[in-house]
Amino acid sequence: MSLKPRTVDFNATWTLLQETIHGVITLAHVPRPVWNDRFSDVYSLCVAHPEPMADRLYAETKLYLTNHVAKLLNEVLEGGDAHLVKNYFKYWTDYSIGARYLHSLYLYLNQQHIKTQKLSDAEIIYGGSDTAGEQMEIGELALEIWRSGMISPLGYKLVKLLLEAIDEDRLYHTTTLPIDAVKGTILSFVEVQTYKKKGQLQLYQELFEEPFLNSSGEHFKRDAARLLESKDVSLYMEKVIAKIDEELFRARKFLHPSSLPKITQRCETHMVAEHLLFLYSECKNMVQGERKQDLSNMYNLLKSVPNAMSVLVETVLDHIKSQGLVAVNNLQGESVHIHFVENLLEVYKKYRQLIQEVYKGDQNFMGALDKACSSVINYRPSDGRSPSRSPELLAKYCDTLLKKSTKGISESEVDEKLSQSIIIFKYIDDKDIFQKFYSRMLAKRLIHQQTQSMDAEEAMINRLKQACGYEFTNKLHRMFTDMSLSGDLNNRFSTFLKNDSIDLGITFNIHVLQAGAWPFGQSNVTSFALPQQLERSVQMFESFYHKRFNGRKLTWLHHLCQAELRLGYLKKPYLITMQTFQMAILLMFETTNSLTCGEIRDTLQLNNEQIQRYANSLVECKFLLADTEELSSNTSLRLNTEYSNKRTRFRITAAVQKETPQEVEHTMNSVEEDRKLYLQAAIVRIMKSRKVLKHNALIQEVCAQSKVSFAPSIPMIKKCIEALIDKQYIERTPHSSEEYSYVA
Amino acid sequence: MKVTIKNWVGVATWRWVANDDNCGICRMPFDGCCPDCKLPGDDCPLVWGQCSHCFHMHCIVKWLQSQQVNQQCPMCRQEWKFNNK
């Protein structure tokens, strides 16, 4: 056959074509040669001479399909309501497949005739122009005819039956209608429009989904009411979660995937959001009982309801806080600091794990944990004025870990514990107080050579640096530098002694510290007459030092010096390490066995308080015997010549090294002073860059700057502003008392 | 001898002793450091001239470098010589 256009008799060809179309659309047998002939007939009609007959072919085909669908509709209706869905589904299956074949048969018409007049994708999507009068490809035409001829008249009835079927499934978990018929029918609403470029789901949504959601909503409301009768929150939550799962399963069974989130949302609205108060009523008990299953159920339910979580979060926060306070309140005894830190960590870890487990690490709950911890750690007793003791206790805890005495704890364990303590440290507001205590304790560890390991010390300082920055730890670093410099210095001094062949008679070691870097105020330096045994060594060193470092002045801190003594007056020789003042007292008994406190005081030029403290420590260790309980200037002290101890080498420094309450108070006061200076410096810095600033803005910026190391009180900032006005760094602007300007 | 000292560990702090409180160039206290340094101590030392005036080392070096003609002490206008006694 030829592809050349020729004259065609339309009626004859159409009769043949119509027969084949019938065969195709009803899925009857169509032999291959017939198919091929009809395929070329479509072609010859489209290119017919003298006039192409494509439009007529299109019109006839449309008419034929319309009639065919009308016939099918009749047949479906005749089958009665009971079989409506089943019959519809049967005819739809056949018809939709047939339509696809028909589409191929009309391939030429589709490709050459219709596609050329179609609007482009862009025009359809953005133009919104009317597509009504336009010719459609045959496959689409067939679907469109099905929609108008079958779904339009039948739709509402079908939907009613479908909803009944789904309700039946809800009640009995089975349907009288076959599942695939129900699902196929529902999906036919989507498939019939799949050819569309936009609004593919429109028919499905309008015809089926909306009524479905509404009827499901009613169902959920009834169900919720029924479940609420039991008054048991945890049971209710379990039921609701099961219900949601079930509905999702059902939706997967019957519906288009786009409906899944909608049905879940409906369910949550009617069963959770509308009954929030009921859920909240049990919230507190659940949190306090830490019922994990219930909490996780509640979390899952509330998660998707907007703003519903906050009550749960609040409750969790309160609970953690109260647990934390219980853990650290009323601690007593020697090891308060250890219990304090370890109890807190236990609480922290417990709830952190709970949140990970139950709430999958939800940010809201992590935030609640942070808030709770920081309010526990910075908790001040209700009398208000006294500051939180946490910084001091934490510093002490670190000190205990880093000191030599820690028994039976491996290095890795110490390391572990120290890095845990950083968790607590991060929550502390008054980091500067911690720093003060920490540096005092570090200084003592270094000077009295009590550090367990330098590595551990350094690791800890690096952790602090990471948490708080270089500024925070630079003094601590300088202390380490001084220690290693002192090591060098000792070596050089002993070489110097060797070269000049000088024998001091004792082993002499010294730490030379830089005044500003170490936390020892000048206030502790008191007058003291150095025992003559030491005089030569000290003089030698001073002259050595001054030769080497011009322009530096040494101040001896005798209260920190230590000596090792050999006691030769007892049955056994003892080697005892003690502080210089203790040593000096003991040395005075060289020529006599009995002295009064007053005599000792006058010779050594110590003050009363020191004599009491140090002599008392010797009495407590039984090296001296006192004739009165309380030491006064007239008390006479005798050397205990009967002294004996199993150990022959030990130290008696511990008793005097303890932090006295005065020292603690002193530390607190110095923190206060430092804060004032810090705040004033901050204010000047800010004012210098801003020139003019409102009072509130200034306060805000100061708070922001000092946040790293402490939380300043507003009255203190105000006082500092006043002080700076007095010092004429800043002044009030003339037109407003609420505004300050920088005085250059 | 009843009691003999075996060994002794001394502790002392040091600070600068200068004939003035403040550096004549930067006006900062000698206990502190020059404006270019962050921390006082060995890293920001003091130096003395033969005229007995004393400055932060960083300050006087900067001053000497800025003088084109002759190197003078900024306090007394004598020729500046480091005192290396």
Side-chain angles (χ1 to χ4, degrees), chain B residues 20-28 30 54-56 59 74-75:
Chain B
D20 203 349
D21 284 343
N22 299 326
C23 168
I25 297 175
C26 66
R27 307 302 300 160
M28 295 302 242
F30 284 127
C54 164
F55 306 99
H56 286 124
C59 293
M75 302 291 268

Side-chain angles (χ1 to χ4, degrees), chain A residues 360-372:
Chain A
K360 300 174 190 72
D362 190 300
Q363 278 310 308
N364 291 318
F365 290 93
M366 289 312 251
L369 176 66
D370 284 347
K371 263 193 211 152

Side-chain angles (χ1 to χ4, degrees), chain A residues 504 506 529-542:
Chain A
L504 297 177
I506 58 171
L530 202 67
Q532 46 146 4
Q533 289 93 326
L534 282 175
E535 246 167 48
R536 196 166 124 79
S537 312
V538 169
Q539 269 168 14
M540 282 313 292
F541 183 78
E542 274 183 353

Side-chain angles (χ1 to χ4, degrees), chain A residues 526-630:
Chain A
T526 49
S527 59
F528 172 60
L530 202 67
Q532 46 146 4
Q533 289 93 326
L534 282 175
E535 246 167 48
R536 196 166 124 79
S537 312
V538 169
Q539 269 168 14
M540 282 313 292
F541 183 78
E542 274 183 353
S543 68
F544 161 80
Y545 189 81
H546 287 305
K547 218 178 281 169
R548 195 160 278 276
F549 300 98
N550 186 19
R552 295 186 182 189
K553 184 170 163 266
L554 283 179
T555 312
W556 293 90
L557 302 177
H558 289 292
H559 60 289
L560 294 170
C561 303
Q562 279 189 5
E564 192 180 28
L565 301 187
R566 195 191 21 230
L567 305 187
Y569 61 92
L570 297 166
K571 286 193 191 96
K572 284 188 285 180
Y574 290 94
L575 280 174
I576 297 166
T577 307
M578 59 180 74
Q579 297 216 325
T580 304
F581 293 147
Q582 292 172 314
M583 170 196 79
I585 295 172
L586 220 49
L587 283 173
M588 287 188 62
F589 289 89
E590 189 64 53
T591 47
T592 167
N593 276 348
S594 160
L595 286 165
T596 66
C597 282
E599 284 170 317
I600 297 176
R601 184 193 61 208
D602 295 342
T603 320
L604 296 180
Q605 295 171 22
L606 288 168
N607 59 33
N608 274 328
E609 187 206 342
Q610 280 166 320
I611 286 292
Q612 292 231 343
R613 190 164 166 207
Y614 291 97
N616 214 355
S617 72
L618 288 170
V619 173
E620 268 167 24
C621 297
K622 307 231 167 34
F623 287 108
L624 297 180
L625 301 170
D627 59 357
T628 56
E629 192 86 342
E630 281 286 305

Side-chain angles (χ1 to χ4, degrees), chain A residues 485 487-497 544 548-549:
Chain A
L485 286 179
D488 278 357
L489 201 61
N490 279 320
N491 287 340
R492 285 202 227 149
F493 182 54
S494 56
T495 334
F496 162 81
L497 291 178
F544 161 80
R548 195 160 278 276
F549 300 98

Side-chain angles (χ1 to χ4, degrees), chain A residues 552-553 555 562 564 568, chain B residues 2 6 9 13 15 17 42:
Chain A
R552 295 186 182 189
K553 184 170 163 266
T555 312
Q562 279 189 5
E564 192 180 28
Chain B
K2 282 180 182 167
K6 287 276 290 174
V9 182
T13 57
R15 55 180 67 243
V17 270
D42 296 314

Side-chain angles (χ1 to χ4, degrees), chain A residues 123-139:
Chain A
E123 279 171 307
I124 295 171
I125 293 169
Y126 301 111
S129 58
D130 193 17
T131 53
E134 203 197 339
Q135 287 187 347
M136 305 161 96
E137 289 181 36
I138 297 301

Side-chain angles (χ1 to χ4, degrees), chain A residues 23-35:
Chain A
V24 170
I25 204 84
T26 53
L27 301 185
H29 176 68
V30 177
R32 171 63 65 175
V34 177
W35 172 274

